[in-house]
Amino acid sequence: MSHILIAEDQQSARFVLTFQLKKVGFKVTAVENGALALNTIQENLDSDNKIDLLVTDIEMPEMSGLELYQQIIEKHLKIPVIVMTAYGTKHLVVELMRMGCSEYLDKPFPSEELIGRINQILEEKKALKEKKSKYENDKNKLESELSNYKHSSEKLREQMNSAIIAYENIIKIEDKNLNVDLSYKIKPLADLGGDFFSIKNTETGCDILLADVAGHDMGSSFHTILIKNVFEESVKSLKSGNDFFSELNRRLIDDSENNRLVTAVFIRINLEEMKVEITSAGHPHTICLENNSLHPKQNKVYGDVLGILDDVLFETSTINICRKDRILFYTDGIEDHGYINNKTGMKVKLKDSGLIKLVSANRDLELEPFVVRTWENILSFGKNNAKDDMTFVAIEIK
Amino acid sequence: MYKIDKNSDYISFEFSSDLKYTDRIIEDSIDFLKSNDIGTHSDFKLVVRELVINGIEHGNNNNSSKTVKCKISKVGNLRFNIEVEDEGDGFNHSDLDFKMPEDPEQHRHRGIPLINTMVDQIEFNEKGNKINVIFSFHNETKFDVSNDNGALTITPSGNITSSIADSFRKILLESLDENNENIIFNFKEVEDLDSISLSLLITFAKMFSRKFPDTHIKVVNANKDIKNLFTLTRINKFYNITD
């Protein structure tokens, strides 16, 4: 039941109003001046007896309706007010309007008009309250969701950071005192990549592995850890390329739930016999840049890809090498690097043929500048818009 | 100041450096796209927003007496050039690293790495106060599966890449459930297969060969690049590629 407070100094008017409002079901308290009205409002502020609406006269002893309204505003009492105005109080109404009061009834008025106005104001108040509580609800819900997201994003961030550090360590090459000269560039698309490159000295030369795990996310980075381990074991036991890839294939299938395709090339350099063995697992062809030949040559070696099939076979090709010969190898991010032709909307890829042209043009440079220049050429061919991890490696026989 | 000029091929804006215009530019651009029969696209909105904010904040240092110009023009079917020019001093973009920053909240290099992942191409003028990007709307690849004369033909409507890997996987598993020995992939609309989709094709071949050890899956209308890829990765031992 809504509680209406009436402030009216004329006893008869007070009685009539009280009677009319009680008759339609309101709880009514009636007082004879503004000071008492203010007291009543304040005393019942947080009780069950709380005043829901005030109907006040303007001219009253002790405290006028104008002063009362002023107090209600100043004390932030947040209570709707209907002011009853009479002939001769117009100047006060202007003052009230300035203070923001918007509900007036000109005396005399029929009781239905007052009741209708009260009901309307109370309904509006109720609707506003519901809206506000819904808004508060939504806001709280959103805030809690947001803080959940923040929390899990921070957790993910931490995991990512550790994965990034792990990946950075994995692709870091200890290139001091290698039996061959080395220069290379690795560019993961983001901080985590799926390209893996390693080179290790052996008694007779070097073993080299370049692998490309499908995707460039945390999953692919973790595969690179496995690849690194298997490679390092294999170097120690001097496994052949074919045996190494068979072992790696088995481990990739056994150790991981999701089948991720891996392509790789294994290169064994034997400096005593001046021979190079190249074994491929579905990897882009390596390029030989012989010191005494003008044209780069592709070593076309084929093999199954790793990580999915149970029975796999890999070809190995053996080539002779001389001092100053270079062997170049890379991941398919380089071949696929390219730009979109503005007219056709089709992607123009560098491809192996494009790479061979760049290599050919830069071949007279020393190893390091050769790699730097070729790399710049590759990047600028694709207008710097890489869509995959890219690795480019060159070794030179000392 | 907010000036707008448009016809059926382009929409261009000129406005004072005030962030309050950003939403309006996005809205007006979306209307322009709609008139080209392209629905709203979150990547596009993000790219335009980043570029415009760059111009206002980094280019003109929020100096409202300076203006930013932005022009979005149609360069091909579903392709648009977005050009944004500010009146600032430009910046050195020659050693810009396009690698995505570690922390997504960190706004390194004016958000360019983020934009780079969504657009075909980014170009700056030499001074660095004008950027041009090419944005393509791609229709997501759908798979048409039909049964003609007993053969199950799977025809993708475009490139098969990791973004649609899940639906491709589903299609492959469903085809396997059909127990049909005669499967044909029609790659007439496929320009590119990425390594994730290649993984799926090999896994599919492995499962298929367990069911039908003596049968090859057929691939028709594959382009030269895809044929080379199948040869290089030896996937052609499962897939019979014909024209």
mmCIF file of all heavy atoms in Angstrom, chain A residues 299-330:
data_model
loop_
_atom_site.group_PDB
_atom_site.id
_atom_site.type_symbol
_atom_site.label_atom_id
_atom_site.label_comp_id
_atom_site.label_asym_id
_atom_site.label_seq_id
_atom_site.Cartn_x
_atom_site.Cartn_y
_atom_site.Cartn_z
ATOM 1 N N ASN A 299 67.414 -29.467 -55.654
ATOM 2 C CA ASN A 299 67.588 -30.896 -55.408
ATOM 3 C C ASN A 299 66.207 -31.488 -55.205
ATOM 4 O O ASN A 299 65.614 -31.336 -54.143
ATOM 5 C CB ASN A 299 68.424 -31.118 -54.152
ATOM 6 C CG ASN A 299 69.713 -30.336 -54.206
ATOM 7 O OD1 ASN A 299 70.501 -30.500 -55.134
ATOM 8 N ND2 ASN A 299 69.913 -29.459 -53.230
ATOM 9 N N LYS A 300 65.722 -32.156 -56.246
ATOM 10 C CA LYS A 300 64.343 -32.647 -56.153
ATOM 11 C C LYS A 300 64.294 -33.983 -55.420
ATOM 12 O O LYS A 300 64.541 -35.027 -56.013
ATOM 13 C CB LYS A 300 63.725 -32.742 -57.541
ATOM 14 C CG LYS A 300 63.622 -31.358 -58.171
ATOM 15 C CD LYS A 300 62.523 -31.253 -59.186
ATOM 16 C CE LYS A 300 62.363 -29.802 -59.601
ATOM 17 N NZ LYS A 300 61.402 -29.590 -60.650
ATOM 18 N N VAL A 301 64.013 -33.916 -54.153
ATOM 19 C CA VAL A 301 63.907 -35.110 -53.324
ATOM 20 C C VAL A 301 62.490 -35.149 -52.755
ATOM 21 O O VAL A 301 61.972 -34.114 -52.331
ATOM 22 C CB VAL A 301 64.917 -35.066 -52.159
ATOM 23 C CG1 VAL A 301 64.993 -36.421 -51.477
ATOM 24 C CG2 VAL A 301 66.281 -34.639 -52.645
ATOM 25 N N TYR A 302 61.897 -36.349 -52.787
ATOM 26 C CA TYR A 302 60.506 -36.458 -52.323
ATOM 27 C C TYR A 302 60.396 -37.384 -51.115
ATOM 28 O O TYR A 302 61.247 -38.244 -50.902
ATOM 29 C CB TYR A 302 59.611 -36.994 -53.449
ATOM 30 C CG TYR A 302 59.540 -36.041 -54.623
ATOM 31 C CD1 TYR A 302 60.492 -36.094 -55.646
ATOM 32 C CD2 TYR A 302 58.542 -35.077 -54.682
ATOM 33 C CE1 TYR A 302 60.434 -35.209 -56.713
ATOM 34 C CE2 TYR A 302 58.478 -34.200 -55.737
ATOM 35 C CZ TYR A 302 59.425 -34.263 -56.754
ATOM 36 O OH TYR A 302 59.367 -33.386 -57.796
ATOM 37 N N GLY A 303 59.355 -37.205 -50.362
ATOM 38 C CA GLY A 303 59.112 -38.110 -49.244
ATOM 39 C C GLY A 303 57.747 -37.844 -48.661
ATOM 40 O O GLY A 303 57.118 -36.823 -48.953
ATOM 41 N N ASP A 304 57.287 -38.775 -47.827
ATOM 42 C CA ASP A 304 55.985 -38.580 -47.181
ATOM 43 C C ASP A 304 56.074 -37.481 -46.130
ATOM 44 O O ASP A 304 57.145 -37.223 -45.581
ATOM 45 C CB ASP A 304 55.543 -39.882 -46.490
ATOM 46 C CG ASP A 304 55.124 -40.935 -47.498
ATOM 47 O OD1 ASP A 304 54.527 -40.548 -48.522
ATOM 48 O OD2 ASP A 304 55.405 -42.120 -47.265
ATOM 49 N N VAL A 305 54.951 -36.891 -45.860
ATOM 50 C CA VAL A 305 54.925 -35.911 -44.773
ATOM 51 C C VAL A 305 54.876 -36.660 -43.444
ATOM 52 O O VAL A 305 54.558 -37.844 -43.394
ATOM 53 C CB VAL A 305 53.704 -34.971 -44.882
ATOM 54 C CG1 VAL A 305 53.842 -34.071 -46.083
ATOM 55 C CG2 VAL A 305 52.404 -35.756 -44.930
ATOM 56 N N LEU A 306 55.182 -35.951 -42.357
ATOM 57 C CA LEU A 306 55.253 -36.573 -41.037
ATOM 58 C C LEU A 306 54.017 -36.254 -40.202
ATOM 59 O O LEU A 306 53.358 -35.249 -40.414
ATOM 60 C CB LEU A 306 56.484 -36.038 -40.292
ATOM 61 C CG LEU A 306 57.834 -36.186 -40.986
ATOM 62 C CD1 LEU A 306 58.870 -35.323 -40.292
ATOM 63 C CD2 LEU A 306 58.246 -37.648 -40.988
ATOM 64 N N GLY A 307 53.755 -37.130 -39.252
ATOM 65 C CA GLY A 307 52.777 -36.795 -38.225
ATOM 66 C C GLY A 307 51.399 -37.384 -38.401
ATOM 67 O O GLY A 307 50.570 -37.246 -37.512
ATOM 68 N N ILE A 308 51.142 -38.041 -39.541
ATOM 69 C CA ILE A 308 49.783 -38.543 -39.747
ATOM 70 C C ILE A 308 49.767 -40.015 -40.166
ATOM 71 O O ILE A 308 49.049 -40.826 -39.590
ATOM 72 C CB ILE A 308 49.047 -37.692 -40.812
ATOM 73 C CG1 ILE A 308 48.960 -36.245 -40.331
ATOM 74 C CG2 ILE A 308 47.653 -38.257 -41.069
ATOM 75 C CD1 ILE A 308 48.385 -35.283 -41.323
ATOM 76 N N LEU A 309 50.601 -40.348 -41.154
ATOM 77 C CA LEU A 309 50.541 -41.695 -41.722
ATOM 78 C C LEU A 309 51.412 -42.683 -40.944
ATOM 79 O O LEU A 309 52.484 -42.320 -40.444
ATOM 80 C CB LEU A 309 51.017 -41.657 -43.179
ATOM 81 C CG LEU A 309 50.221 -40.721 -44.093
ATOM 82 C CD1 LEU A 309 50.962 -40.502 -45.394
ATOM 83 C CD2 LEU A 309 48.842 -41.302 -44.341
ATOM 84 N N ASP A 310 50.951 -43.930 -40.859
ATOM 85 C CA ASP A 310 51.711 -44.932 -40.110
ATOM 86 C C ASP A 310 52.903 -45.446 -40.901
ATOM 87 O O ASP A 310 53.980 -45.642 -40.359
ATOM 88 C CB ASP A 310 50.787 -46.094 -39.730
ATOM 89 C CG ASP A 310 49.644 -45.603 -38.851
ATOM 90 O OD1 ASP A 310 49.931 -44.808 -37.934
ATOM 91 O OD2 ASP A 310 48.495 -45.983 -39.102
ATOM 92 N N ASP A 311 52.677 -45.699 -42.194
ATOM 93 C CA ASP A 311 53.780 -46.203 -43.013
ATOM 94 C C ASP A 311 54.323 -45.071 -43.859
ATOM 95 O O ASP A 311 53.607 -44.493 -44.663
ATOM 96 C CB ASP A 311 53.284 -47.327 -43.929
ATOM 97 C CG ASP A 311 52.723 -48.461 -43.102
ATOM 98 O OD1 ASP A 311 53.377 -48.849 -42.126
ATOM 99 O OD2 ASP A 311 51.607 -48.931 -43.417
ATOM 100 N N VAL A 312 55.595 -44.777 -43.663
ATOM 101 C CA VAL A 312 56.165 -43.644 -44.388
ATOM 102 C C VAL A 312 57.486 -44.024 -45.049
ATOM 103 O O VAL A 312 58.207 -44.896 -44.584
ATOM 104 C CB VAL A 312 56.398 -42.437 -43.441
ATOM 105 C CG1 VAL A 312 55.123 -41.681 -43.213
ATOM 106 C CG2 VAL A 312 57.002 -42.884 -42.129
ATOM 107 N N LEU A 313 57.765 -43.347 -46.140
ATOM 108 C CA LEU A 313 58.995 -43.579 -46.893
ATOM 109 C C LEU A 313 59.616 -42.246 -47.273
ATOM 110 O O LEU A 313 58.906 -41.304 -47.596
ATOM 111 C CB LEU A 313 58.670 -44.340 -48.184
ATOM 112 C CG LEU A 313 58.657 -45.866 -48.105
ATOM 113 C CD1 LEU A 313 58.201 -46.437 -49.429
ATOM 114 C CD2 LEU A 313 60.037 -46.404 -47.727
ATOM 115 N N PHE A 314 60.951 -42.215 -47.229
ATOM 116 C CA PHE A 314 61.626 -40.961 -47.553
ATOM 117 C C PHE A 314 62.780 -41.214 -48.504
ATOM 118 O O PHE A 314 63.542 -42.159 -48.325
ATOM 119 C CB PHE A 314 62.159 -40.311 -46.273
ATOM 120 C CG PHE A 314 61.142 -40.266 -45.185
ATOM 121 C CD1 PHE A 314 61.108 -41.255 -44.202
ATOM 122 C CD2 PHE A 314 60.176 -39.275 -45.163
ATOM 123 C CE1 PHE A 314 60.152 -41.242 -43.209
ATOM 124 C CE2 PHE A 314 59.213 -39.254 -44.173
ATOM 125 C CZ PHE A 314 59.194 -40.242 -43.191
ATOM 126 N N GLU A 315 62.880 -40.341 -49.493
ATOM 127 C CA GLU A 315 64.008 -40.457 -50.427
ATOM 128 C C GLU A 315 65.193 -39.703 -49.866
ATOM 129 O O GLU A 315 65.039 -38.690 -49.200
ATOM 130 C CB GLU A 315 63.645 -39.781 -51.752
ATOM 131 C CG GLU A 315 62.910 -40.652 -52.727
ATOM 132 C CD GLU A 315 62.587 -39.871 -53.999
ATOM 133 O OE1 GLU A 315 63.198 -38.801 -54.232
ATOM 134 O OE2 GLU A 315 61.713 -40.344 -54.733
ATOM 135 N N THR A 316 66.392 -40.217 -50.183
ATOM 136 C CA THR A 316 67.594 -39.477 -49.840
ATOM 137 C C THR A 316 68.392 -39.293 -51.121
ATOM 138 O O THR A 316 68.508 -40.215 -51.922
ATOM 139 C CB THR A 316 68.440 -40.243 -48.813
ATOM 140 O OG1 THR A 316 67.673 -40.395 -47.625
ATOM 141 C CG2 THR A 316 69.725 -39.490 -48.477
ATOM 142 N N SER A 317 68.907 -38.095 -51.308
ATOM 143 C CA SER A 317 69.720 -37.861 -52.488
ATOM 144 C C SER A 317 71.099 -37.413 -52.010
ATOM 145 O O SER A 317 71.222 -36.656 -51.047
ATOM 146 C CB SER A 317 69.026 -36.801 -53.340
ATOM 147 O OG SER A 317 69.960 -35.999 -53.989
ATOM 148 N N THR A 318 72.129 -37.948 -52.652
ATOM 149 C CA THR A 318 73.492 -37.593 -52.240
ATOM 150 C C THR A 318 74.133 -36.752 -53.332
ATOM 151 O O THR A 318 74.069 -37.103 -54.512
ATOM 152 C CB THR A 318 74.328 -38.864 -52.001
ATOM 153 O OG1 THR A 318 73.630 -39.680 -51.061
ATOM 154 C CG2 THR A 318 75.697 -38.514 -51.439
ATOM 155 N N ILE A 319 74.702 -35.638 -52.952
ATOM 156 C CA ILE A 319 75.376 -34.798 -53.949
ATOM 157 C C ILE A 319 76.799 -34.482 -53.495
ATOM 158 O O ILE A 319 77.107 -34.502 -52.304
ATOM 159 C CB ILE A 319 74.603 -33.468 -54.204
ATOM 160 C CG1 ILE A 319 74.313 -32.758 -52.877
ATOM 161 C CG2 ILE A 319 73.331 -33.712 -54.967
ATOM 162 C CD1 ILE A 319 73.705 -31.389 -53.060
ATOM 163 N N ASN A 320 77.643 -34.236 -54.475
ATOM 164 C CA ASN A 320 79.023 -33.873 -54.156
ATOM 165 C C ASN A 320 79.118 -32.371 -53.950
ATOM 166 O O ASN A 320 78.404 -31.593 -54.582
ATOM 167 C CB ASN A 320 79.949 -34.274 -55.316
ATOM 168 C CG ASN A 320 79.951 -35.774 -55.497
ATOM 169 O OD1 ASN A 320 80.031 -36.527 -54.518
ATOM 170 N ND2 ASN A 320 79.824 -36.207 -56.746
ATOM 171 N N ILE A 321 80.011 -31.982 -53.045
ATOM 172 C CA ILE A 321 80.154 -30.542 -52.785
ATOM 173 C C ILE A 321 81.620 -30.119 -52.858
ATOM 174 O O ILE A 321 82.532 -30.946 -52.718
ATOM 175 C CB ILE A 321 79.625 -30.153 -51.385
ATOM 176 C CG1 ILE A 321 80.015 -31.224 -50.357
ATOM 177 C CG2 ILE A 321 78.151 -29.902 -51.429
ATOM 178 C CD1 ILE A 321 79.909 -30.760 -48.944
ATOM 179 N N CYS A 322 81.816 -28.844 -53.094
ATOM 180 C CA CYS A 322 83.159 -28.270 -53.097
ATOM 181 C C CYS A 322 83.185 -27.107 -52.117
ATOM 182 O O CYS A 322 82.139 -26.662 -51.648
ATOM 183 C CB CYS A 322 83.509 -27.733 -54.479
ATOM 184 S SG CYS A 322 83.393 -28.966 -55.756
ATOM 185 N N ARG A 323 84.371 -26.607 -51.848
ATOM 186 C CA ARG A 323 84.498 -25.425 -50.986
ATOM 187 C C ARG A 323 83.695 -24.274 -51.594
ATOM 188 O O ARG A 323 83.608 -24.146 -52.807
ATOM 189 C CB ARG A 323 85.970 -25.010 -50.875
ATOM 190 C CG ARG A 323 86.680 -25.626 -49.690
ATOM 191 C CD ARG A 323 87.946 -24.831 -49.383
ATOM 192 N NE ARG A 323 87.656 -23.616 -48.639
ATOM 193 C CZ ARG A 323 88.074 -22.408 -48.985
ATOM 194 N NH1 ARG A 323 88.771 -22.238 -50.087
ATOM 195 N NH2 ARG A 323 87.782 -21.362 -48.238
ATOM 196 N N LYS A 324 83.136 -23.470 -50.726
ATOM 197 C CA LYS A 324 82.380 -22.271 -51.135
ATOM 198 C C LYS A 324 81.009 -22.585 -51.745
ATOM 199 O O LYS A 324 80.279 -21.662 -52.118
ATOM 200 C CB LYS A 324 83.189 -21.403 -52.124
ATOM 201 C CG LYS A 324 84.403 -20.739 -51.497
ATOM 202 C CD LYS A 324 83.979 -19.470 -50.775
ATOM 203 C CE LYS A 324 85.093 -18.981 -49.848
ATOM 204 N NZ LYS A 324 84.571 -18.017 -48.865
ATOM 205 N N ASP A 325 80.681 -23.861 -51.890
ATOM 206 C CA ASP A 325 79.319 -24.183 -52.344
ATOM 207 C C ASP A 325 78.331 -23.796 -51.243
ATOM 208 O O ASP A 325 78.649 -23.903 -50.052
ATOM 209 C CB ASP A 325 79.171 -25.693 -52.624
ATOM 210 C CG ASP A 325 79.779 -26.070 -53.963
ATOM 211 O OD1 ASP A 325 80.245 -25.148 -54.670
ATOM 212 O OD2 ASP A 325 79.796 -27.272 -54.281
ATOM 213 N N ARG A 326 77.146 -23.401 -51.674
ATOM 214 C CA ARG A 326 76.117 -23.058 -50.686
ATOM 215 C C ARG A 326 74.913 -23.983 -50.836
ATOM 216 O O ARG A 326 74.558 -24.371 -51.946
ATOM 217 C CB ARG A 326 75.642 -21.616 -50.870
ATOM 218 C CG ARG A 326 76.664 -20.608 -50.405
ATOM 219 C CD ARG A 326 76.225 -19.202 -50.701
ATOM 220 N NE ARG A 326 77.343 -18.288 -50.492
ATOM 221 C CZ ARG A 326 77.348 -17.016 -50.853
ATOM 222 N NH1 ARG A 326 76.283 -16.508 -51.459
ATOM 223 N NH2 ARG A 326 78.388 -16.255 -50.620
ATOM 224 N N ILE A 327 74.321 -24.315 -49.725
ATOM 225 C CA ILE A 327 73.059 -25.059 -49.762
ATOM 226 C C ILE A 327 72.004 -24.193 -49.071
ATOM 227 O O ILE A 327 72.230 -23.691 -47.969
ATOM 228 C CB ILE A 327 73.179 -26.424 -49.074
ATOM 229 C CG1 ILE A 327 74.225 -27.262 -49.814
ATOM 230 C CG2 ILE A 327 71.839 -27.154 -49.072
ATOM 231 C CD1 ILE A 327 74.649 -28.481 -49.064
ATOM 232 N N LEU A 328 70.891 -24.020 -49.756
ATOM 233 C CA LEU A 328 69.833 -23.152 -49.234
ATOM 234 C C LEU A 328 68.580 -23.966 -48.988
ATOM 235 O O LEU A 328 68.212 -24.806 -49.796
ATOM 236 C CB LEU A 328 69.499 -22.049 -50.249
ATOM 237 C CG LEU A 328 70.672 -21.411 -50.987
ATOM 238 C CD1 LEU A 328 70.153 -20.455 -52.050
ATOM 239 C CD2 LEU A 328 71.575 -20.689 -50.007
ATOM 240 N N PHE A 329 67.950 -23.722 -47.871
ATOM 241 C CA PHE A 329 66.673 -24.396 -47.619
ATOM 242 C C PHE A 329 65.760 -23.448 -46.856
ATOM 243 O O PHE A 329 66.193 -22.498 -46.206
ATOM 244 C CB PHE A 329 66.872 -25.726 -46.898
ATOM 245 C CG PHE A 329 67.954 -25.715 -45.856
ATOM 246 C CD1 PHE A 329 67.626 -25.595 -44.526
ATOM 247 C CD2 PHE A 329 69.290 -25.827 -46.224
ATOM 248 C CE1 PHE A 329 68.624 -25.583 -43.557
ATOM 249 C CE2 PHE A 329 70.287 -25.810 -45.258
ATOM 250 C CZ PHE A 329 69.961 -25.686 -43.926
ATOM 251 N N TYR A 330 64.463 -23.740 -46.928
ATOM 252 C CA TYR A 330 63.483 -22.773 -46.440
ATOM 253 C C TYR A 330 62.160 -23.475 -46.186
ATOM 254 O O TYR A 330 61.970 -24.625 -46.588
ATOM 255 C CB TYR A 330 63.300 -21.656 -47.472
ATOM 256 C CG TYR A 330 62.946 -22.168 -48.858
ATOM 257 C CD1 TYR A 330 61.616 -22.315 -49.239
ATOM 258 C CD2 TYR A 330 63.941 -22.551 -49.748
ATOM 259 C CE1 TYR A 330 61.291 -22.812 -50.487
ATOM 260 C CE2 TYR A 330 63.624 -23.062 -51.001
ATOM 261 C CZ TYR A 330 62.297 -23.182 -51.363
ATOM 262 O OH TYR A 330 61.981 -23.693 -52.593
#
